[in-house]
Amino acid sequence: MLHAWLVEDLPGGRVHILTQETQIGAPAAALAQLRPDPMLNGHQAWLDGLVRAASK
């Protein structure tokens, strides 16, 4: 599994975050058997945490 993040500062105190991943190989297949969409859900949880931290 590979992950990439592009974080860009935008005008007005905004941030644009682009995430990209690949889920190829035995580790990804094994993880998908344990939980559906583990990478999608993990990235969403990460983004939700960033929003909470930035809002404080």
Side-chain angles (χ1 to χ4, degrees):
M1 292 181 270
L2 299 172
H3 306 271
W5 295 274
L6 175 64
V7 181
E8 296 179 273
D9 286 328
L10 297 176
R14 299 176 301 138
V15 176
H16 177 247
I17 300 172
L18 174 67
T19 65
Q20 191 171 34
E21 67 193 35
T22 181
Q23 300 178 34
I24 299 172
L31 186 58
Q33 294 298 316
L34 297 175
R35 293 188 327 202
D37 299 317
M39 295 293 107
L40 176 65
N41 294 330
H43 282 161
Q44 188 61 54
W46 177 71
L47 291 168
D48 292 343
L50 286 176
V51 169
R52 282 191 303 275
S55 297
K56 290 183 179 179

XYZ file of all heavy atoms in Angstrom:
424
model
N 0.847 -1.172 0.000
C 0.000 0.000 0.000
C 0.889 1.231 0.000
O 1.890 1.271 0.703
C -0.890 0.007 1.241
C -1.925 -1.097 1.247
S -2.974 -1.069 2.701
C -2.018 -2.125 3.783
N 0.529 2.189 -0.782
C 1.252 3.452 -0.844
C 0.274 4.593 -0.631
O -0.874 4.523 -1.058
C 1.946 3.622 -2.191
C 2.979 2.580 -2.557
C 3.428 2.763 -3.992
C 4.168 2.634 -1.618
N 0.759 5.652 0.014
C -0.076 6.822 0.292
C 0.677 8.075 -0.126
O 1.887 8.151 0.047
C -0.391 6.938 1.786
C -0.994 5.716 2.353
N -2.343 5.491 2.366
C -0.427 4.635 2.928
C -2.585 4.326 2.926
N -1.442 3.781 3.274
N -0.065 9.056 -0.628
C 0.522 10.354 -0.964
C -0.434 11.445 -0.508
O -1.653 11.283 -0.577
C 0.765 10.457 -2.464
N 0.123 12.526 -0.019
C -0.674 13.672 0.405
C -0.074 14.930 -0.210
O 1.134 15.126 -0.202
C -0.649 13.841 1.927
C -1.291 12.725 2.664
C -2.611 12.588 2.968
C -0.642 11.579 3.209
N -2.828 11.427 3.673
C -1.633 10.788 3.834
C 0.677 11.122 3.237
C -1.350 9.588 4.464
C 0.955 9.920 3.863
C -0.058 9.185 4.465
N -0.919 15.787 -0.736
C -0.519 17.099 -1.214
C -1.306 18.114 -0.395
O -2.539 18.091 -0.395
C -0.847 17.258 -2.705
C -0.593 18.642 -3.296
C 0.888 18.988 -3.243
C -1.113 18.706 -4.717
N -0.601 18.958 0.338
C -1.242 19.962 1.188
C -0.870 21.332 0.633
O 0.311 21.654 0.512
C -0.772 19.826 2.654
C -1.457 20.849 3.531
C -1.034 18.411 3.165
N -1.886 22.130 0.288
C -1.659 23.451 -0.305
C -2.310 24.535 0.544
O -3.468 24.400 0.952
C -2.291 23.531 -1.693
C -1.693 22.606 -2.714
C -2.420 22.757 -4.041
O -3.436 22.068 -4.239
O -1.968 23.585 -4.861
N -1.565 25.602 0.811
C -2.145 26.792 1.438
C -2.945 27.548 0.391
O -2.480 27.749 -0.729
C -1.047 27.715 1.977
C -0.414 27.173 3.232
O -1.108 26.504 4.012
O 0.786 27.428 3.444
N -4.150 27.964 0.759
C -5.006 28.742 -0.133
C -5.290 30.095 0.499
O -5.140 30.266 1.714
C -6.329 28.008 -0.374
C -6.246 26.653 -1.067
C -7.631 26.017 -1.143
C -5.654 26.782 -2.456
N -5.703 31.059 -0.283
C -6.050 32.369 0.267
C -7.177 32.256 1.298
O -7.987 31.319 1.261
C -6.510 33.172 -0.947
C -6.006 32.443 -2.146
C -5.865 31.011 -1.739
N -7.229 33.190 2.194
C -8.313 33.245 3.171
C -8.175 32.256 4.304
O -9.166 31.870 4.910
N -6.940 31.804 4.586
C -6.726 30.873 5.691
C -7.256 29.473 5.412
O -7.512 28.711 6.333
N -7.414 29.126 4.144
C -7.927 27.808 3.782
C -6.785 26.887 3.375
O -5.696 27.336 3.048
C -8.921 27.919 2.629
C -10.129 28.758 2.970
C -11.063 28.933 1.791
N -10.357 29.570 0.681
C -10.481 29.206 -0.596
N -11.284 28.235 -0.947
N -9.812 29.840 -1.532
N -7.051 25.599 3.433
C -6.072 24.584 3.036
C -6.772 23.570 2.140
O -7.899 23.173 2.401
C -5.488 23.866 4.277
C -4.557 22.743 3.871
C -4.767 24.850 5.175
N -6.086 23.164 1.086
C -6.581 22.119 0.197
C -5.715 20.893 0.426
O -4.495 20.969 0.371
C -6.490 22.571 -1.263
C -6.909 21.531 -2.236
N -6.031 20.935 -3.099
C -8.116 20.971 -2.494
C -6.672 20.065 -3.844
N -7.947 20.065 -3.491
N -6.350 19.744 0.699
C -5.617 18.504 0.922
C -6.093 17.482 -0.093
O -7.276 17.171 -0.173
C -5.834 17.960 2.346
C -5.365 18.983 3.379
C -5.099 16.632 2.521
C -5.703 18.618 4.799
N -5.147 16.952 -0.864
C -5.432 15.905 -1.834
C -4.732 14.645 -1.358
O -3.531 14.666 -1.084
C -4.917 16.307 -3.221
C -5.026 15.254 -4.314
C -6.494 14.972 -4.638
C -4.279 15.710 -5.545
N -5.478 13.560 -1.218
C -4.884 12.289 -0.820
C -5.037 11.306 -1.967
O -6.007 11.349 -2.720
C -5.547 11.705 0.450
O -6.898 11.375 0.158
C -5.477 12.675 1.595
N -4.059 10.433 -2.084
C -4.114 9.400 -3.105
C -3.490 8.146 -2.526
O -2.571 8.220 -1.706
C -3.364 9.852 -4.352
C -3.579 8.960 -5.543
C -2.988 9.568 -6.789
O -1.966 10.248 -6.744
N -3.623 9.319 -7.921
N -3.994 6.992 -2.941
C -3.484 5.744 -2.396
C -3.565 4.651 -3.430
O -4.293 4.764 -4.419
C -4.285 5.331 -1.169
C -5.716 4.951 -1.538
C -6.633 4.827 -0.355
O -6.481 5.583 0.600
O -7.518 3.971 -0.413
N -2.839 3.589 -3.176
C -2.972 2.364 -3.941
C -3.130 1.227 -2.953
O -2.511 1.242 -1.892
C -1.780 2.121 -4.881
O -2.014 0.915 -5.602
C -0.473 2.032 -4.146
N -3.994 0.304 -3.266
C -4.258 -0.822 -2.376
C -4.010 -2.133 -3.119
O -4.881 -2.975 -3.247
C -5.696 -0.766 -1.871
C -6.018 0.477 -1.097
C -7.466 0.511 -0.649
O -8.059 -0.506 -0.349
N -8.037 1.696 -0.603
N -2.804 -2.305 -3.585
C -2.441 -3.489 -4.355
C -1.517 -4.357 -3.509
O -0.606 -3.853 -2.869
C -1.744 -3.092 -5.676
C -2.692 -2.253 -6.533
C -1.253 -4.314 -6.435
C -2.042 -1.659 -7.772
N -1.764 -5.646 -3.497
C -0.877 -6.566 -2.801
C -1.560 -7.316 -1.682
O -2.698 -7.032 -1.302
N -0.846 -8.303 -1.149
C -1.396 -9.168 -0.105
C -1.781 -8.416 1.164
O -2.840 -8.688 1.736
C -0.402 -10.290 0.204
N -0.951 -7.460 1.670
C -1.364 -6.747 2.890
C -2.679 -5.986 2.715
O -3.532 -5.990 3.599
C -0.209 -5.777 3.159
C 0.973 -6.411 2.494
C 0.407 -7.076 1.272
N -2.874 -5.371 1.571
C -4.115 -4.636 1.315
C -5.291 -5.592 1.235
O -6.371 -5.313 1.762
C -3.992 -3.830 0.024
N -5.117 -6.718 0.585
C -6.204 -7.702 0.470
C -6.588 -8.249 1.842
O -7.771 -8.413 2.148
C -5.787 -8.832 -0.462
N -5.586 -8.522 2.685
C -5.865 -9.039 4.029
C -6.606 -7.998 4.867
O -7.553 -8.330 5.587
C -4.562 -9.450 4.704
N -6.192 -6.744 4.784
C -6.838 -5.681 5.546
C -8.285 -5.488 5.086
O -9.181 -5.277 5.900
C -6.053 -4.376 5.409
C -6.512 -3.198 6.252
C -6.502 -3.541 7.739
C -5.609 -1.997 5.990
N -8.527 -5.601 3.798
C -9.884 -5.434 3.261
C -10.816 -6.533 3.763
O -12.026 -6.321 3.855
C -9.842 -5.419 1.740
N -10.278 -7.701 4.096
C -11.103 -8.780 4.633
C -11.548 -8.483 6.066
O -12.592 -8.953 6.508
C -10.333 -10.102 4.610
C -10.031 -10.606 3.231
C -11.280 -10.906 2.425
O -12.225 -11.500 2.925
N -11.288 -10.469 1.172
N -10.750 -7.695 6.800
C -11.078 -7.374 8.187
C -12.113 -6.265 8.291
O -12.991 -6.301 9.148
C -9.817 -6.954 8.947
C -8.735 -8.021 9.085
C -7.496 -7.422 9.754
C -9.259 -9.210 9.874
N -11.964 -5.248 7.444
C -12.872 -4.086 7.471
C -13.111 -3.636 6.041
O -12.155 -3.475 5.289
C -12.236 -2.915 8.221
C -12.039 -3.118 9.677
C -11.577 -1.841 10.353
N -10.742 -1.034 9.473
C -9.880 -0.125 9.887
N -9.736 0.095 11.153
N -9.178 0.568 9.030
N -14.354 -3.354 5.689
C -14.574 -2.811 4.339
C -14.023 -1.384 4.230
O -14.115 -0.614 5.184
C -16.091 -2.828 4.173
C -16.672 -3.102 5.518
C -15.571 -3.597 6.407
N -13.436 -1.069 3.112
C -12.897 0.276 2.819
C -11.988 0.824 3.924
O -12.159 1.960 4.364
C -14.041 1.262 2.568
C -14.896 0.856 1.393
O -14.329 0.439 0.368
O -16.133 0.948 1.509
N -10.992 0.069 4.374
C -10.168 0.537 5.494
C -9.374 1.805 5.172
O -9.228 2.676 6.030
C -9.239 -0.639 5.784
C -9.190 -1.415 4.509
C -10.541 -1.226 3.882
N -8.883 1.941 3.953
C -8.098 3.123 3.615
C -8.992 4.352 3.502
O -8.656 5.423 4.006
C -7.327 2.914 2.304
C -6.275 1.849 2.368
S -4.910 2.317 3.458
C -5.224 1.248 4.840
N -10.126 4.212 2.847
C -11.058 5.332 2.718
C -11.501 5.812 4.098
O -11.480 7.005 4.396
C -12.268 4.912 1.883
C -13.368 5.958 1.741
C -12.858 7.161 0.966
C -14.572 5.356 1.052
N -11.889 4.875 4.951
C -12.331 5.242 6.300
C -11.198 5.826 7.135
O -11.401 6.773 7.897
C -12.943 4.027 6.999
C -14.223 3.571 6.329
O -14.950 4.365 5.748
N -14.489 2.279 6.386
N -10.005 5.288 6.993
C -8.855 5.824 7.721
C -8.507 7.236 7.293
O -8.215 8.098 8.124
N -8.533 7.489 6.004
C -8.251 8.845 5.512
C -9.325 9.825 5.966
O -9.018 10.965 6.332
C -8.146 8.866 3.996
C -6.843 8.354 3.485
N -6.674 7.938 2.202
C -5.643 8.183 4.096
C -5.433 7.537 2.029
N -4.794 7.675 3.167
N -10.586 9.396 5.960
C -11.648 10.290 6.409
C -11.479 10.626 7.886
O -11.661 11.776 8.292
C -13.025 9.669 6.153
C -14.154 10.650 6.421
C -14.080 11.875 5.522
O -14.021 11.749 4.302
N -14.065 13.064 6.106
N -11.117 9.638 8.696
C -10.880 9.892 10.119
C -9.721 10.866 10.310
O -9.764 11.757 11.164
C -10.600 8.576 10.850
N -8.668 10.731 9.493
C -7.520 11.640 9.562
C -7.952 13.064 9.210
O -7.604 14.016 9.910
C -6.435 11.146 8.611
C -5.230 12.008 8.513
C -4.269 12.194 9.464
C -4.842 12.812 7.392
N -3.307 13.065 8.989
C -3.635 13.454 7.729
C -5.395 13.034 6.138
C -2.988 14.301 6.853
C -4.737 13.887 5.277
C -3.539 14.505 5.645
N -8.730 13.203 8.134
C -9.196 14.527 7.731
C -10.129 15.137 8.781
O -10.032 16.327 9.090
C -9.913 14.459 6.379
C -9.013 14.146 5.193
C -9.853 13.822 3.972
C -8.049 15.284 4.925
N -11.016 14.332 9.357
C -11.900 14.819 10.413
C -11.085 15.304 11.608
O -11.408 16.340 12.211
C -12.872 13.730 10.867
C -13.889 13.376 9.795
O -14.068 14.160 8.830
O -14.519 12.289 9.924
N -10.011 14.603 11.953
C -9.139 15.038 13.046
C -8.438 16.346 12.741
O -8.280 17.192 13.615
N -8.026 16.523 11.485
C -7.399 17.788 11.097
C -8.380 18.946 11.251
O -8.013 20.028 11.724
C -6.913 17.730 9.644
C -5.667 16.915 9.365
C -5.395 16.880 7.869
C -4.464 17.477 10.114
N -9.620 18.731 10.838
C -10.642 19.778 10.972
C -10.859 20.120 12.449
O -10.929 21.304 12.819
C -11.971 19.339 10.303
C -13.095 20.289 10.661
C -11.794 19.246 8.800
N -10.966 19.107 13.300
C -11.139 19.363 14.742
C -9.962 20.148 15.303
O -10.149 21.106 16.055
C -11.312 18.058 15.511
C -12.695 17.457 15.413
C -12.895 16.319 16.410
N -11.908 15.247 16.274
C -11.993 14.234 15.418
N -13.019 14.142 14.614
N -11.052 13.306 15.388
N -8.745 19.760 14.944
C -7.557 20.456 15.461
C -7.493 21.890 14.954
O -7.147 22.812 15.714
C -6.299 19.699 15.052
N -7.831 22.109 13.696
C -7.787 23.462 13.128
C -8.879 24.356 13.675
O -8.730 25.579 13.697
C -7.890 23.380 11.603
N -9.973 23.766 14.139
C -11.103 24.549 14.629
C -10.908 25.027 16.067
O -11.680 25.856 16.544
C -12.381 23.713 14.561
O -12.659 23.395 13.218
N -9.916 24.500 16.762
C -9.694 24.876 18.176
C -9.042 26.229 18.288
O -8.293 26.674 17.535
C -8.825 23.840 18.879
C -9.562 22.534 19.067
C -8.694 21.562 19.817
C -9.466 20.257 20.031
N -8.692 19.276 20.724
